[in-house]
Structures are given as C-alpha cells and as structure tokens.
Amino acid sequence: MKFENKVFPNDEQLKGFANNLEKGPIKFLNLIKLKKYAEYNDGRETKLTGLEAYKLYGGETQEHLKKVGAKVVFIGPVSRLNIGEVDELWDLVAIAEYPDRGAFLKMINDPAYQKTSEHREAAIEGQLNIEIL
C-alpha cells in the first residue's frame, strides 16, 4: 500500500467532496505529520516548533468549528504502531465531526479560518484526511 501525506486536497478530491453537501454527519480522521520547526509561507521569522504552531492552529480553530456546528472529538499524539508496517509514524491523530459536508466547506472558505490555517500550513509536513460516515 502506498500513501503520501499532503497539505491540501487535489482537484479531484475537492470535486468529489463537493458532491452531496448535505451528507452527514461526517467525521474526519486526520493523521498528521509535523515539521520539526514551523515554516510560514510569508517568510516570518519564528522559533516555534511544528507542534507549537499546530497548537496555535488548534486553539484558534475551536471558534471556527463552533460557528458551523462542528467539534473536535479527539486529538492526541501517536505513541506506537500495534498492527501493520509503515516507514515513519504520524505525530498526531485528530477526529473532527461536522453536521455535514457543507459545514466543512463553509468553514474552510471563511477568510478568518484561512488566516488561522496559516499556522496549520506552517506546522505540518502533510497529513492523511479520511472521511468517515
């Protein structure tokens, strides 16, 4: 099995997601790989680790989730692999629940959320984001 962590979905993934916006409730399982140190796209100087930048993102995202009726169900560090094989483990696992796909799209298209997302982009090498119905 091949996998590749990404920071953003590709066009095909976005197009497929936009179908059935009323489908829900949905949960997203996020397998997150952090950078050692945060790297902001605007080139700002920072001494934040990837984890510290991701915590900023997570804290600010709570309000964005509330605005669309969503919530974090679980977030925690990955400690070990019990079954299977992988070259390198993810650093964090998070599960978020949304009332429907439309709520998720509404949140990620909100300019205030996009500003918060700068911390996420600075923090992560990539992730797998898996929709669960």
Side-chain angles (χ1 to χ4, degrees):
M1 175 186 337
K2 177 188 173 226
F3 72 88
E4 194 172 333
N5 292 319
K6 295 286 185 174
V7 176
F8 298 106
N10 64 36
D11 289 340
E12 185 178 324
Q13 290 164 331
L14 277 176
K15 184 178 175 185
F17 184 80
N19 294 330
N20 299 318
L21 291 178
E22 67 287 342
K23 192 171 209 163
I26 60 169
K27 293 181 181 72
F28 290 111
L29 169 64
N30 297 277
L31 303 174
I32 301 157
K33 188 67 184 164
L34 296 167
K35 295 176 184 172
K36 186 171 183 173
Y37 294 101
E39 298 172 13
Y40 286 88
N41 290 333
D42 62 10
R44 75 182 81 163
E45 299 262 340
T46 183
K47 293 184 179 182
L48 292 173
T49 65
L51 179 58
E52 290 167 334
Y54 198 81
K55 285 181 177 180
L56 288 174
Y57 165 74
E60 292 179 17
T61 298
Q62 294 299 318
E63 289 304 312
H64 300 295
L65 291 165
K66 285 180 192 174
K67 285 196 287 189
V68 298
K71 64 183 178 182
V72 172
V73 176
F74 174 83
I75 187 165
V78 173
S79 58
R80 64 184 295 272
L81 184 65
N82 289 323
I83 298 175
E85 295 179 29
V86 64
D87 290 338
E88 191 174 347
L89 287 176
W90 294 270
D91 298 305
L92 298 173
V93 173
I95 300 173
E97 181 176 46
Y98 295 81
D100 53 41
R101 287 177 172 176
F104 177 75
L105 283 180
K106 181 178 179 181
M107 184 184 84
I108 65 171
N109 286 310
D110 180 339
Y113 169 79
Q114 291 171 358
K115 179 70 175 157
T116 292
S117 189
E118 291 176 359
H119 297 302
R120 176 188 164 275
E121 294 169 37
I124 69 170
E125 284 183 20
Q127 72 181 68
L128 298 181
N129 179 277
I130 302 164
E131 181 180 294
I132 305 166
L133 295 174

